[in-house]
Amino acid sequence: MRLNTLKRHMRESMKSLGRNGWMTFASISAVTVTLLLVGVFLVVMFNMNHFAEKIENDVEIRVHIDVAANEQDKQALRAQIEAIPKVKEIRYSSKEQELKNLIKSFGEEGSSFRLFEQDNPLSDVYVVKTEKPTDTIKVAKQIEKLQFVHKVNYGQGQVEKLFSTLKVARNVGIVLIIGLLFTAMFLISNTIKITIFARRREIEIMRLVGATNGFIRWPFFLEGLWLGVIGAIFPIVSILVVYYNIYKFLEPKITVPFIELLPLNPFMWQISLILLIFGACIGVWGSMMSVRRFLKV
Amino acid sequence: MIEMQDVYKTYPNGVVALNGVNVRIKQGEFVYVVGPSGAGKSTLVKMIYREEKPTSGTIMVNGVNLAKLRDSKVPLLRRHIGVVFQDFKLLPKLTVYENVAFALEVIEESPKLIRSKVMEVLELVGLKHKVRSYPDELSGGEQQRVSIARSIVNSPKIVIADEPTGNLDPETSWGIMDLFEKINNRGTTIVMATHNREIVNTIRRRVIAMENGKIVRDEAKGEYGYEA
C-alpha cells in the first residue's frame, strides 16, 4: 500500500471517531469497563494459579516408620517405596530431626517442646515426592500397605478442596468475561454501523469508480482498532497503579511460606500486553462484523 | 465492445426484468436505450457495469464474461467503465476538484497524475473556473458536468448514463448532450438510458427500444417512437 493511501485511511478513521462522538464515547467506555473487569480477573487468576502451583509443589507424602523397624527394615522399606512407579524423590528424616523442625516452626513457643528431647514421641519419617501432585493419593495408598509403615500423611482432603474451589471460581469468571467481551464487541459493531451509514454514499461512489473492497474496508478496520486500543488505555494504567501499590504494601507483610504475589516484572508487562491485544481484537472484530454485511458486492 | 447473448434476469422478488436479450454494441458507438418505465432499461444498463448479475446468458464487456466474473475482479472492470446518474451522486462535503479527484484517489493513482488528469477533464466539461466550489453552489447542469468529469477521469472505454438529463431543464440538457457527443467523438462508447424524446429525435443515434424485458426495436439513427 502506498504511504499516501495509509495516511488517507488514518485521516478518515480519525474523522469518523470525532463525527460519531457519543457512539465513540459509548464504545470506548464499554471496552474500558470490560477490560477493567477482565484485567482485575486476570490479576486475581494469575496470582491464584501461582499459589496453587506453589501448594502443589509443596504436597508431599510423609511416611511414618514403625518404631519396631531396625536399620535393615528401614533400608528394605526405602527400596520398596523407590520401586513404586511415579515416585520422584525420597528423603529420610530421623525423629530427632523431626522434633527440631517442629520446635523451629513454633518459634518462641517451641521451647516448651524441648522437654520431649529426652523421650521423643515422634517417629522416623520418609518424605516422598511424586512426579505429579495428582499422583499423591494413589502413591500414598500403595505405601500404606507396606510393612513397617506406621502411618501415611499427605494433607488429605484440604488440598483437593482448595483446587476445586479455584476451578469453580475460574469457570464463573471466564463465563462472565466472555459475556462482557461480547457486549463490548456488539457496541463497537454498532458504532461502526453508524459510521458506515453516514458514509454509505461515499462507499457507493467508491465502488462505482472501482475501489477494491480492501480499500473501502481499511478506514473501518482502523476505526475499530482505535476504539479498542483507546478503550484499553485506562484499564491498563489503573491496573498497573493499583497492583504496584498493593504489591509494595503487602509483599513485606506476607509470611505464610507458599503465598506470594507475582513479582511486578514481568507480570505487569504481560497483563498490559494481554489487555491491549484484547482491546484491539474486540475493536477489529466488532468493526469487521458490521462491515462484512455492508460490503457484499 | 459489449455483447449480450440470451440474457435473462429475474429478481429475487420474482420480477422478470430481462427476458432474453441479445445485443451487440461496437466500440465507439452511441446508443440510446428507450422504453416505458419497468421495461428493463435500467437493468440492462446495470448489467454492463456488473451492478446486477444475469440469471442466465453471457455478457461480454471488453472480452470478459461478466456472468462468470468473480466479485473480487469487479473493481478492476469498473475502472474501465464510467457511470453517470440522474441524481449526480456527488459528495456534498468535497469541492468540485475533490469530487473528481476522489475517483482516482480511491484507486490509488499517484498525486501528480491525479492533478493533471482532473484539471484536464474539468477543462473538457467547462468547469475549470469552479474547481473550488462545492456541489450545492452549482446549478443542476453544472453538477451533472462534474459527475461526467468524474466518470471519464480515468479514461474509460465505455460510459454508461442512466437518465442523465432526467433532473435537468431542456436547455441545460442540450449542453449535457453536447458534452456526451464530445466524449463519444474521442472514441468512447456511450450507452444512455433515457426518457427524453426530444433529444433522441434530434440527435439521431442508434436506438434500442425495450418492452417487458425484451428488445422490440433496434435501429441505427432511430426515433424515440413512444408518445411522451
Side-chain angles (χ1 to χ4, degrees), chain A residues 39-51 243 267:
Chain A
V40 170
F41 174 76
L42 285 178
V43 169
V44 172
M45 223 46 244
F46 273 104
N47 274 297
M48 271 161 111
N49 273 342
H50 187 58
F51 302 161
Y243 191 78
F267 179 54

Side-chain angles (χ1 to χ4, degrees), chain B residues 12 42 50 90 93-94 191 217:
Chain B
S42 277
R50 184 50 163 64
L90 299 175
K93 284 183 182 162
L94 301 186
V191 180
R217 181 160 57 89

Side-chain angles (χ1 to χ4, degrees), chain A residues 128-163:
Chain A
V128 179
K129 281 209 167 194
T130 54
E131 276 161 16
K132 274 183 281 173
T134 41
D135 297 330
T136 311
I137 300 169
K138 239 195 311 179
V139 173
K141 292 255 158 73
Q142 275 172 284
I143 294 174
E144 242 171 1
K145 290 180 203 146
L146 299 175
Q147 217 186 348
F148 297 116
V149 171
H150 170 59
K151 211 171 79 183
V152 173
N153 255 337
Y154 61 95
Q156 292 95 325
Q158 292 163 15
V159 176
E160 288 94 326
K161 215 179 266 173
L162 179 69
F163 289 159

Side-chain angles (χ1 to χ4, degrees), chain B residues 6 27 30 32 34 73 78 81 85 89 91 98 105 111 118 120 126 153 156 173 175-176 184 188 194 216-217:
Chain B
D6 297 320
Q27 183 60 44
F30 192 129
Y32 295 114
V34 301
K73 300 283 180 212
R78 298 219 175 133
I81 299 176
F85 294 94
K89 294 199 194 293
L91 294 167
E98 288 165 342
E105 276 170 16
V118 172
E120 186 195 318
V153 72
S173 299
I176 295 296
N184 181 231
T188 309
T194 186
V216 291
R217 181 160 57 89

Side-chain angles (χ1 to χ4, degrees), chain B residues 111-128:
Chain B
K112 230 193 222 163
L113 195 78
I114 292 178
R115 200 167 310 124
S116 67
K117 277 194 153 183
V118 172
M119 289 320 286
E120 186 195 318
V121 290
L122 282 176
E123 187 164 17
L124 182 77
V125 302
L127 283 177
K128 212 177 173 184

